[in-house]
Amino acid sequence: MSKKVLVFGGTGYQGGSVVRELLKDDSFKVITLSRNVESEKSKELKKLGAEVIKCDESQSKEEIEKVMKGCDCVYLVTNSQGYCEKEIEYGIKIADVALKCGVKHFVFSTVPGPNKLSNGKFKSPDLDNKVEIEDHIKQLSKSNAHFISSFVIAPWYYQNFINYYKPEKESGGGGGDKYILKWACDPKVSLDYGDIDELGLLVREIFKNPIKFSGETVPFSSEILTPIQIVEIISKVTNKKVTYQFIDPLEYGKSYDLEVSLMLAFFNEYGGFNIYGGDRSIAHNIKKLTSFEEYLKKINFKLD
């Protein structure tokens, strides 16, 4: 008998990866939510076999309960960019509804929390909000043995260097095409990266083994890289000279992205997933994960 899984954020990077991987396995039936069920992404998921329902995290408990009733499992990734001020409220609400609906296995996409791990020295709403939701879910499982919860940590996406942090062409002379990646990660700091389209492989494994992963936090990390290694790989694949320019997080927050600057200020001092713990090998044992170089070649990445 197939498990009925409700996936939040199915039209996004993480949720979309989970939906697609679960649909490859006949032991799962997938429902996902969308504000616009006629969007191209929603239509794509329908073609793959998902049931797409018009609803989102902002809906009332009663509306979410209607959708969740009868589901065996839930995958939740919350959207910091879309509703940061409401993120904790929405995450807790969904977990509470899942318990009420008799959901057997709840998987939440969490992160290392700067405020908690640094004893208040660093703060990042995008990250810290998720830790509060995680703590609430863990408490629900502690008080209700039938409500199994598991957690995944997503890395910095390879896709970010295509969409958000793409190297810029240097202006001025000097001959030849030269590019520069400007970012707030210390050039000596190694962080966890991965092709987020492969996250679903790990989540599927977790849903298939609820007892094994009960209470576990599993990191998804394809490769551990410094910014210098990143630009070297981009240079190799594109055959263009790419250099790295470190921008102090404080300045980066003023000129580029405040929330990313807050995250990187923390990671520059505390590193990647090491501080949080967890077994990186679990995801690698499911399937050979794509390296950054392989990803760039796969998408035929070029610098214009």
Side-chain angles (χ1 to χ4, degrees), residues 9 15 18 21 32 34 38 48 51 63 80-81 91 125 133 135 143 148 158 212 220 233 254 265 273 287 300 303:
V18 173
E21 285 303 324
T32 192
S34 176
E38 296 303 319
L48 292 173
E51 181 182 356
E63 289 300 314
S80 303
Q81 301 300 316
I133 298 168
D135 288 344
S143 304
I148 294 174
Y158 293 156
K212 176 181 177 181
F220 170 69
I233 292 168
K254 294 176 183 177
F273 290 168
K287 175 185 176 289
N300 195 28
L303 290 172

Side-chain angles (χ1 to χ4, degrees), residues 168-239:
E168 306 168 5
K169 192 169 186 177
E170 288 193 67
S171 57
D177 289 340
K178 294 182 180 179
Y179 294 80
I180 185 165
L181 172 61
K182 300 177 181 179
W183 208 31
C185 181
D186 187 299
K188 300 183 295 296
V189 169
S190 299
L191 296 181
D192 295 84
Y193 298 89
D195 178 357
I196 200 60
D197 288 339
E198 295 180 328
L199 176 69
L201 294 163
L202 177 58
V203 175
R204 184 178 65 187
E205 185 72 9
I206 291 172
F207 276 135
K208 290 178 79 73
N209 298 278
I211 302 302
K212 176 181 177 181
F213 292 105
S214 177
E216 293 295 321
T217 300
V218 186
F220 170 69
S221 173
S222 303
E223 199 167 12
I224 303 169
L225 300 166
T226 66
I228 302 302
Q229 290 172 313
I230 286 170
V231 296
E232 287 174 349
I233 292 168
I234 296 175
S235 296
K236 178 181 177 181
V237 172
T238 62
N239 201 30

Side-chain angles (χ1 to χ4, degrees), residues 250-270:
L250 184 63
E251 294 304 314
Y252 190 87
K254 294 176 183 177
S255 304
Y256 293 89
D257 189 315
L258 175 60
E259 188 52 42
V260 169
S261 73
L262 295 174
M263 294 181 194
L264 288 172
F266 166 71
F267 286 119
N268 282 346
E269 184 160 328
Y270 284 83

Side-chain angles (χ1 to χ4, degrees), residues 14 78-81 84 87-88 108-118 122-135 153-156 191 258-268 270-273 275-276:
Q14 283 197 43
T78 50
N79 183 0
S80 303
Q81 301 300 316
C84 188
E87 185 175 8
I88 297 171
F108 179 59
S109 176
T110 189
V111 288
N115 188 39
K116 189 174 184 178
L117 294 170
S118 71
F122 295 100
K123 295 182 181 181
S124 162
D126 273 17
L127 304 182
D128 292 325
N129 286 352
K130 290 176 175 59
V131 175
E132 289 203 37
I133 298 168
E134 175 189 347
D135 288 344
I153 307 179
W156 292 88
L191 296 181
L258 175 60
E259 188 52 42
V260 169
S261 73
L262 295 174
M263 294 181 194
L264 288 172
F266 166 71
F267 286 119
N268 282 346
Y270 284 83
F273 290 168
I275 187 174
Y276 202 94

Side-chain angles (χ1 to χ4, degrees), residues 45-56:
L45 296 178
K46 288 178 189 176
K47 286 181 181 178
L48 292 173
E51 181 182 356
V52 183
I53 298 176
K54 185 175 176 62
C55 186
D56 63 50

